[in-house]
C-alpha cells in the first residue's frame, strides 16, 4: 500500500519525567496530533483490504500505541479475567473488552485482551506514573472474507511460517510484536509477542 498516512505518532513516547507528567498531552499533540487525526480519517474511509493491511502493518516491526481498535469502535464492555498482587506489590489484572457499534460496516465483532499492572504508591511516586499495560490480542470478525494475499503483503520483509489446521490459517512471525495471526474465513486474531510489547505513557 503506497498511500498510508504518517505512522510515527503510533510509536511516540514522551520521556518519563515529572515535567512531562504534567505536560504529556501538550507534548504529544504539539508533535503528532495532526498525524493521529489523519490516521483516523484514513482508517475510517480506506478500503477493506487497506484496513486489513493497516491492522497488521502497524504491529509488524514495533509495538504501537493502542489507537487502531479505537477507530473501529469506542463502545465496549469489559470482563476481568484475573486479578492478583505480585511480589513487588503491583496489582496485576487481565481484562477482556467486547466492542459494539462499529464505525466500519465490514466489522461485525471485535474483542481485545489487555495485561495491566497497577503500581503501589511508592513506585508511583518514583516513576511519576501509576500503571502500565499492553494488549495481548486483538480479534476482528467481518461480514466478508479475509483477503489472504493482503496479509502476505503486509508481512513482507518478515520471516514467518504459514500452516492450516481445522479451517484456521496460522501465521507464526519471527522477531516481531506479532507472535501469530489466526485467520479464519471471516476473522483475524492478532496475538502479541509480549516480549516485544512497549509501555507507552498514557496521554489521556
Amino acid at each position: 500500500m503506497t498511500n498510508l498516512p504518517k505512522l510515527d505518532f503510533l510509536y511516540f513516547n514522551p520521556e518519563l519525567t515529572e515535567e512531562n507528567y504534567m505536560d504529556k498531552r501538550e507534548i504529544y499533540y504539539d508533535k503528532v496530533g495532526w498525524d493521529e487525526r489523519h490516521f483516523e480519517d484514513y482508517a475510517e474511509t480506506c478500503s477493506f483490504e487497506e484496513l486489513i493491511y493497516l491492522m497488521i502493518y502497524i504491529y509488524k516491526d514495533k509495538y504501537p500505541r493502542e489507537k487502531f481498535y479505537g477507530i473501529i469502535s469506542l463502545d465496549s464492555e469489559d470482563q476481568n479475567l484475573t486479578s492478583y498482587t505480585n511480589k513487588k506489590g503491583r496489582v496485576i489484572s487481565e481484562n477482556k473488552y467486547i466492542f459494539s457499534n462499529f464505525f466500519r460496516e465490514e466489522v461485525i465483532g471485535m474483542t481485545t485482551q489487555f495485561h495491566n499492572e497497577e503500581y503501589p504508591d511508592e513506585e508511583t511516586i518514583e516513576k511519576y506514573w501509576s500503571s502500565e499495560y499492553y494488549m495481548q490480542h486483538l480479534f476482528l470478525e467481518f461480514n466478508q472474507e479475509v483477503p489472504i494475499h493482503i496479509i502476505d503483503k503486509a508481512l513482507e520483509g518478515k520471516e514467518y511460517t504459514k500452516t492450516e489446521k481445522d479451517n484456521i490459517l496460522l501465521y507464526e512471525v519471527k522477531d516481531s510484536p506479532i507472535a501469530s495471526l489466526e485467520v479464519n474465513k471471516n476473522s483475524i486474531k492478532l496475538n502479541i509477542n509480549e516480549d516485544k510489547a512497549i509501555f507507552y505513557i498514557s496521554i489521556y
Side-chain angles (χ1 to χ4, degrees), residues 30-156:
D30 282 350
K31 289 183 176 291
V32 295
W34 282 109
D35 294 339
E36 179 178 342
R37 294 176 190 178
H38 293 156
F39 175 80
E40 291 172 352
D41 291 341
Y42 175 87
E44 290 176 4
T45 59
C46 67
S47 70
F48 178 59
E49 288 193 353
E50 288 171 329
L51 183 71
I52 299 301
Y53 183 92
L54 184 67
M55 171 187 177
I56 297 167
Y57 183 81
I58 61 176
Y59 286 94
K60 181 174 72 171
D61 293 314
K62 187 177 180 180
Y63 181 83
R65 286 185 168 275
E66 298 306 336
K67 296 293 184 180
F68 180 81
Y69 62 84
I71 50 180
I72 304 298
S73 170
L74 295 175
D75 296 335
S76 67
E77 297 180 2
D78 63 289
Q79 298 177 356
N80 178 254
L81 304 177
T82 186
S83 184
Y84 61 93
T85 301
N86 69 7
K87 294 179 180 179
K88 296 180 179 180
R90 290 186 177 187
V91 177
I92 311 298
S93 61
E94 292 185 0
N95 299 284
K96 180 179 181 180
Y97 298 85
I98 303 170
F99 291 82
S100 58
N101 298 322
F102 303 109
F103 300 134
R104 296 286 310 216
E105 63 180 13
E106 306 95 337
V107 179
I108 60 174
M110 180 170 69
T111 63
T112 61
Q113 184 171 314
F114 278 84
H115 175 93
N116 185 73
E117 301 193 13
E118 297 283 342
Y119 304 157
D121 291 344
E122 311 78 46
E123 193 172 8
T124 297
I125 293 169
E126 176 187 351
K127 293 178 178 290
Y128 305 114
W129 269 262
S130 61
S131 66
E132 60 186 77
Y133 66 90
Y134 57 84
M135 189 178 75
Q136 295 172 299
H137 68 244
L138 167 65
F139 173 82
L140 278 158
E141 184 178 8
F142 310 103
N143 61 10
Q144 53 188 279
E145 289 191 27
V146 174
I148 301 300
H149 69 284
I150 292 297
I151 297 175
D152 293 323
K153 185 174 182 63
L155 288 174
E156 283 181 359

